Amino acid sequence: MKSFAIHPVDQTIKPSILAKIDNLNKPKGSLGRLEELALQICLIQQTLEPSLAHPCHLLLGGDHGIEREGVSVSPREVTWQQMINFTHGGGGVNMFCRQHGFKLRIVDVGVDYDLSGIDGIIDRKIARGTKNFLYEPAMSEAEFDRAIQIGSDLVEDCVAEGCRVLSIGEMGIANTSPSSIWMHLFTGVPLQECIGAGAGLDTPGIRHKYEVLSKALLNYQVTTPNQAPITPLAYFGGYEMVAAIGAMLKAAEKHLVILIDGFIMTACALAAIQLYPAAQDYMIFTHCGDESGHKRMLDAMGANALLHLGLRLGEGTGALCAFPIVDSAVRMMNEMNNFENANITKYF
């Protein structure tokens, strides 16, 4: 796999950041979570004057062989239909990108449909969907490496345009299934507690999903015992999910602020952290959705999401909704006056 130069954020500047935050004309600690965000972003960028210039959003599409087992209420054709819809500006992701000034890149990494002639879709297709991991690995090691490289290259393009903050979303019917398995394998939470309704399964549907994933996990454990973390990423993952991991790792290497969306992107973040633990320093977990297990996965990483809006759309919409809060933290650092300049007596 491609290697990345990811290091924990340098803490040397931390006392200076805290001094600036504490001397803004407010009671110490009175802006709560905004102060925590400001500290994190300043550490990421190694500056007392942080920037969220040229925000970019990657929307990565891919289909999953496991969908053939009826683990999702939505059929796989919804993936390509929505991808085309995004090019017309009609998706939730489009609306929020317009609202918050994000440049949207729509990328076909592995959709089971020919989207090559569609304006507005970047063609990085590896294959028309992964294989069915109930019976065999979803992708080969070579395909895994290619997906990592695709995500990395996309971030390089964003950085070349001056991007300082990145959010990532996905479009892939059935991708809560590999997310649940990754969560189970990397956190030790029982599989049943990692599986939820996805796009809207009822109770019998959730039970069926559990039975399918349990069998797939058993087959994996019999055929590939005691393997390194990369193996379950390739065995169960989707092309769009692995590309998201590559994007997160490159963004951490480039000291970007990374906005992590809901259940699926949190699973990708968890996977990225398995490979490079220091990558978590660059991540802001923006939204905890209602998918079963999401809160427990965040807890396993010691992460506290900014929002809990009950979203389960995917596409990166939770990350985009949280952006104004992150922006407020940066504006606090750059626009608030301090006690000395405002001629105000410190009152803490």
Side-chain angles (χ1 to χ4, degrees), residues 73-84:
V73 71
S74 302
R76 70 169 44 206
E77 59 262 29
V78 171
T79 303
W80 68 260
Q81 291 167 356
Q82 277 285 43
M83 292 289 282
I84 293 174

Side-chain angles (χ1 to χ4, degrees), residues 124-144:
R124 297 291 184 271
K125 191 191 298 288
I126 297 171
R128 290 183 56 153
T130 56
K131 297 180 178 64
N132 186 344
F133 64 65
L134 179 59
Y135 305 108
E136 59 184 322
M139 66 185 76
S140 68
E141 294 288 341
E143 289 173 327
F144 175 88

Side-chain angles (χ1 to χ4, degrees), residues 69 79 86 96 101 105 112 177 184 186 212 287 328 348:
E69 302 302 320
T79 303
F86 298 147
F96 291 125
R105 283 177 165 85
D112 187 12
S177 290
H184 164 67
F186 297 141
V212 169
H287 179 258
S328 291
F348 63 84

Side-chain angles (χ1 to χ4, degrees), residues 160-222:
E161 296 174 354
C163 174
R164 303 300 301 277
V165 57
L166 179 79
S167 57
I168 309 170
E170 41 64 39
M171 183 65 233
I173 296 303
N175 57 13
T176 59
S177 290
S179 299
S180 296
I181 289 183
W182 283 356
M183 175 186 170
H184 164 67
L185 290 174
F186 297 141
T187 68
V189 174
L191 180 62
Q192 189 166 8
E193 298 174 27
C194 302
I195 295 172
L201 288 172
D202 57 14
T203 299
I206 295 172
R207 186 181 309 115
H208 171 71
K209 184 177 179 180
Y210 171 69
E211 291 169 354
V212 169
L213 298 189
S214 295
K215 184 176 179 182
L217 188 60
L218 180 61
N219 291 342
Y220 162 74
Q221 291 168 337
V222 168

Side-chain angles (χ1 to χ4, degrees), residues 267-279:
C268 293
L270 175 64
I273 292 164
Q274 298 299 307
L275 298 171
Y276 289 87

Side-chain angles (χ1 to χ4, degrees), residues 100-150:
H100 301 306
F102 276 70
K103 180 172 181 177
L104 173 61
R105 283 177 165 85
I106 306 166
V107 188
D108 173 12
V109 190
V111 178
D112 187 12
Y113 191 82
D114 183 7
L115 297 171
S116 59
I118 306 297
D119 288 341
I121 295 180
I122 300 170
D123 184 5
R124 297 291 184 271
K125 191 191 298 288
I126 297 171
R128 290 183 56 153
T130 56
K131 297 180 178 64
N132 186 344
F133 64 65
L134 179 59
Y135 305 108
E136 59 184 322
M139 66 185 76
S140 68
E141 294 288 341
E143 289 173 327
F144 175 88
D145 291 345
R146 186 177 172 192
I148 290 286
Q149 186 68 57
I150 287 169

